């Protein structure tokens, strides 16, 4: 269970939710204290308050099966930090971004170094429906492997 550190209102940033800052228990992270959004399904999955099929995990990210797969293999690589999308990523998130890429590589290797597509829908108009940054790992069908 995550430990509450503090809470803040996101209205000033154009949102209408309250974010809480929590310290995640081991083994999720050794050092990080991340902002999580109380209404966010991916934050709930990371906090193990909502169910998901977990494929892999490191200090910064979790890989889960997409609940409505669009390819034979469809995983989501989700940072444990609540960022709305790539626009919120900053230089201090370099480790988190690196972790996302390395987890994709690791999952591919575990599956036999398969070809895959790594997709980020950045913003509503780009098809983003869950506003917690994540990447799609898609594989197993050729028509998903050409842009
Ligand atoms: P995006 O359109 O990039 O925001 O993608 C969001 C993805 O999250 C979609 O492919 C959904 O099927 C998936 N999704 C939504 N809720 C869940 C959930 N509870 N567990 C797993 N995947 C989910
Ligand atoms: Zn979230």
């Amino acid at each position: 269970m995550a430990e509450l550190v503090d809470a803040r209102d996101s209205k000033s940033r154009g949102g209408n939710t309250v974010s809480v800052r929590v310290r995640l228990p081991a083994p999720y992270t050794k050092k990080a204290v991340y902002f999580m959004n109380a209404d966010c399904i991916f934050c709930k999955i990371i906090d193990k308050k909502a169910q998901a099929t977990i494929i892999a995990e490191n200090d910064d990210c979790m890989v889960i099966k997409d609940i409505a797969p669009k390819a034979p293999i469809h995983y989501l690589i989700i940072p444990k930090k609540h960022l709305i999308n790539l626009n919120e990523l900053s230089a201090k998130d370099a480790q988190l971004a690196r972790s996302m890429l390395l987890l994709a590589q690791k999952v591919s290797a575990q599956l036999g170094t398969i070809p895959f597509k790594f997709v980020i829908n950045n913003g509503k108009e780009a098809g983003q429906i869950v506003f917690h940054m994540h990447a799609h790992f898609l594989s197993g069908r050729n028509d998903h492997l050409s842009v």
Side-chain angles (χ1 to χ4, degrees):
M1 181 91 53
E3 175 197 336
L4 181 65
V5 176
D6 64 46
R8 68 182 181 180
D9 194 323
S10 69
K11 284 196 175 81
S12 57
R13 291 163 53 238
N16 58 3
T17 58
V18 172
S19 294
V20 291
R21 195 154 62 109
V22 295
R23 184 173 289 111
L24 297 175
Y28 308 134
T29 178
K30 293 185 190 101
K31 53 187 182 302
V33 174
Y34 287 149
F35 270 101
M36 303 184 82
N37 188 312
D39 296 326
C40 171
I41 181 62
F42 288 174
C43 282
K44 285 180 186 160
I45 288 171
I46 286 158
D47 199 22
K48 309 257 165 90
K49 284 184 178 147
Q51 272 209 320
T53 304
I54 300 171
I55 302 297
E57 189 170 2
N58 65 16
D59 280 351
D60 306 295
C61 303
M62 184 181 271
V63 184
I64 66 165
K65 267 192 186 175
D66 195 292
I67 203 168
K70 285 93 187 167
I73 298 169
H74 187 174
Y75 299 153
L76 301 172
I77 303 175
I78 308 172
K80 290 179 178 176
K81 178 178 180 178
H82 182 90
L83 296 169
I84 291 171
N85 58 30
L86 260 178
N87 300 348
E88 286 210 327
L89 197 76
S90 72
K92 64 179 186 298
D93 300 312
Q95 171 61 27
L96 180 156
R98 183 175 173 270
S99 273
M100 288 182 77
L101 293 168
L102 289 177
L103 262 182
Q105 184 194 65
K106 185 175 165 188
V107 167
S108 161
Q110 279 172 350
L111 293 167
T113 316
I114 55 162
F116 65 91
K117 199 162 178 175
F118 183 93
V119 176
I120 294 178
N121 295 325
N122 195 59
K124 194 167 93 166
E125 294 77 6
Q128 185 177 6
I129 56 166
V130 177
F131 293 91
H132 176 133
M133 190 179 110
H134 56 280
H136 296 258
F137 180 105
L138 297 151
S139 188
R141 204 164 72 205
N142 287 340
D143 58 350
H144 277 287
L145 298 175
S146 56
V147 176

